[in-house]
Amino acid sequence: MDGYMTDELENAIVDNVVNRGMGFMALHCTIWTPDKTKFTAMMGIKGRMHGPIQKVHLHNFNQDHPVTRGFKDFDLGLDENFGVELTDPKAIALYETTGETDKRHDIAGWSVEKGKGRVVGLAIGHTHDPWLNASCRELHWRAAHWAA
């Protein structure tokens, strides 16, 4: 909503994913684009604004999906707990988060195939803490490879 995404950019991203078969990886605040309806429809979600920076527990990893298969619950020392509502019936939840301070429970990872392309979203990553966490880095690595 800060004007970083022009209509031309939105249309190009959607066309590249849906019609050309490119992968798209939505990270953290990418989900907060409620004014870009084609873009959010492509992602298959509606974003939920985060609460305070807090300890975030990642849990309920989807053991049937290649991105999250084998993952066990883990905590991030400090992060924002963004979340999503899945709006596309083909979207698949990958994991959930719960904030320690506000107790908010969200879906924070998802995937969806759109046209010829793939979209994966990971809503964690506001602070440096997730990037220092080996499980978090592995999650991002797998998500990028699945989307590609």
Side-chain angles (χ1 to χ4, degrees):
M1 299 202 359
D2 61 4
Y4 76 92
M5 185 184 293
T6 64
D7 292 343
E8 180 180 66
L9 179 57
E10 176 186 28
N11 290 333
I13 291 169
V14 172
D15 181 58
N16 281 330
V17 172
V18 175
N19 299 319
R20 294 184 61 218
M22 291 179 70
F24 185 82
M25 190 166 159
L27 298 177
H28 190 57
C29 62
T30 305
I31 67 171
W32 196 248
T33 52
D35 59 327
K36 297 298 180 183
T37 56
K38 289 184 233 170
F39 182 66
T40 56
M42 179 202 73
M43 290 191 294
I45 56 100
K46 177 181 177 186
R48 289 189 65 205
M49 182 49 84
H50 62 80
I53 292 178
Q54 60 191 312
K55 183 176 182 179
V56 177
H57 181 63
L58 284 74
H59 54 95
N60 293 338
F61 285 93
N62 183 336
Q63 297 301 314
D64 296 325
H65 198 283
V67 171
T68 47
R69 185 176 298 124
F71 269 88
K72 303 213 180 324
D73 298 359
F74 67 92
D75 294 327
L76 299 176
L78 289 176
D79 204 15
E80 290 175 337
N81 191 28
F82 261 119
V84 300
E85 172 189 334
L86 302 178
T87 57
D88 186 316
K90 295 184 286 183
I92 298 168
L94 296 179
Y95 66 89
E96 299 169 13
T97 56
T98 302
E100 182 178 79
T101 303
D102 64 7
K103 309 295 185 213
R104 196 174 95 181
H105 179 198
D106 287 296
I107 294 172
W110 76 96
S111 68
V112 64
E113 297 195 29
K114 290 299 233 181
K116 295 179 180 178
R118 289 178 165 179
V119 175
V120 64
L122 307 174
I124 53 179
H126 179 75
T127 69
H128 70 279
D129 194 73
W131 308 106
L132 299 175
N133 183 297
S135 293
C136 187
R137 289 193 309 270
E138 177 69 17
L139 183 62
H140 281 81
W141 177 259
R142 288 190 195 183
H145 283 253
W146 180 86

